[in-house]
Every structure is written in C-alpha cells, then in structure tokens.
Amino acid sequence: MPAKILIVTGDAAESLEVLYPYQRLREEGYDVHIAAPTRKTLRFVVHDFEPGFDTYTEKPGYTWPADLPFAEVDPGQYAALVIPGGRAPEYLRNDPELRKILKAFFDADKPVAQICHGPLLTAAVDSLSGRRVTAYPALELDMQAAGAHFEDTETVVDGTLVSARAWPDHPTWMREFLTVLRAKAPVT
C-alpha cells in the first residue's frame, strides 16, 4: 500500500499550489488526500502577476472536493504534509483542529512542504523558530516575527521542511520535497 500524503487547504487556496502537488505526488505513486475545514467542494483561486499591479491579482479558479474534514484526520496515517498558499492560510490558521494536525507532523519530524502563504500556518503553531524558510516575499516580516530566517529564493530546505515562494517555483519545490520524501517515506 502506498504511503499517504495529506494536503491541508480551504476555499481561496491558489489552484496551482493545490493541484500541482496533488497530481505530481500521485504521479510518483503516493496516495494523496485533501483535508479542509469540512468535506465539501472547495473553490480555489488563480493568483496572477499582471503589469501595472503592485501585487498579484485574484480570479476564480478550479473547484475540487475535499476528501475529509480536519476533524477526521489522523496524522499518524500520513507520511508527509503539503501546505498550499493563496488566501486560505489567513483564516485556516485559526482552526484548532488544523493546528493539532500541523503540530503532530512537526513533532514527528515528518516531511512538510509549504508554499506562498502556507507558512502562516506553520508560524501559527510555532514551528518556524530557528528555521530557514522562504515564502511569498510580502511575508518576510511575518516569517521573521515567527523566529525564522527568511531567504528570498526559489526553494529552501531545512531538514524535513521544504518551502517555496509561489507557484512559479514549483519545479524546484517539488524536486526538493520529493528528495526528502523518498528518503523518509519511499513509495512501496
């Protein structure tokens, strides 16, 4: 039976940051589940970079069903965790069930991939202190406030934590995450 990977997300997550790791990890042979606050059809968004805008723009993205609610997640059943960005982490960090899940992964030193605004979740459970990370560049001060050393680069690997800035960094992010994942939880 293949190792299971958990993606935690919600409405307004960045479409590419959920669906790219979902498909890439399945392609690799992992069993991937998406958890959200409730079991429902999630509504993702597309963040794009357009000339003349000081920040990204947001448009409606894909919809995708959540496999299970946070309250039903048993972190012990999963080999690794993926935390996409978008706007979802801004409100998900307040969810006590999700905070328990995140803490369990970090306490067990399991592989965690985070991207864009995803590190807001790991900061909420005090799992960034003393670590090297990257995130969407506008989060540099948030990462420093969480005790992390912020690096504005495509991908940063700190032990079992692999972080990236945003969807344009997918190739290096997934390559580095798969290196960590294969060492800790190879596909069987």
Side-chain angles (χ1 to χ4, degrees):
M1 192 165 200
K4 293 195 283 189
I5 311 297
L6 182 67
I7 298 176
V8 292
T9 194
D11 287 329
E14 163 54 54
S15 293
L16 287 172
E17 293 172 3
V18 176
L19 296 176
Y20 177 78
Y22 177 81
Q23 292 171 333
R24 181 65 188 94
L25 293 165
R26 289 186 67 214
E27 176 185 33
E28 193 72 19
Y30 291 97
D31 184 12
V32 184
H33 298 165
I34 295 176
T38 61
R39 184 182 286 116
K40 68 174 208 160
T41 298
L42 298 167
R43 289 168 172 70
F44 301 143
V45 297
V46 172
H47 289 147
D48 204 359
F49 303 95
E50 297 182 31
F53 281 79
D54 291 332
T55 189
Y56 53 83
T57 61
E58 183 173 284
K59 300 167 184 70
Y62 294 103
T63 59
W64 199 265
D67 297 306
L68 69 165
F70 295 148
E72 292 180 16
V73 171
D74 174 0
Q77 298 296 308
Y78 294 91
L81 178 67
V82 176
I83 307 170
R87 281 187 298 117
E90 294 172 10
Y91 68 89
L92 291 177
R93 62 186 163 176
N94 297 312
D95 188 301
E97 293 296 326
L98 178 55
R99 288 196 307 268
K100 288 180 204 172
I101 294 166
L102 297 166
K103 186 159 177 28
F105 276 91
F106 279 94
D107 287 351
D109 197 33
K110 292 182 180 181
V112 174
Q114 60 183 10
I115 189 166
C116 193
H117 284 72
L120 290 174
L121 295 178
T122 51
V125 295
D126 197 29
S127 293
L128 297 182
S129 185
R131 299 193 88 150
R132 295 174 34 254
V133 299
T134 194
Y136 188 70
L139 297 184
E140 180 176 1
L141 296 177
D142 299 275
M143 297 299 96
Q144 291 170 350
H149 172 73
F150 179 82
E151 298 177 18
D152 187 4
T153 188
E154 283 184 354
T155 301
V156 172
V157 179
D158 185 314
T160 57
L161 178 63
V162 181
S163 54
R165 294 176 300 193
W167 59 261
D169 299 333
H170 276 161
T172 58
W173 181 53
M174 274 293 108
R175 183 172 50 249
E176 295 297 337
F177 183 59
L178 283 167
T179 298
V180 170
L181 190 54
R182 287 178 188 131
K184 290 283 238 178
V187 174
T188 56

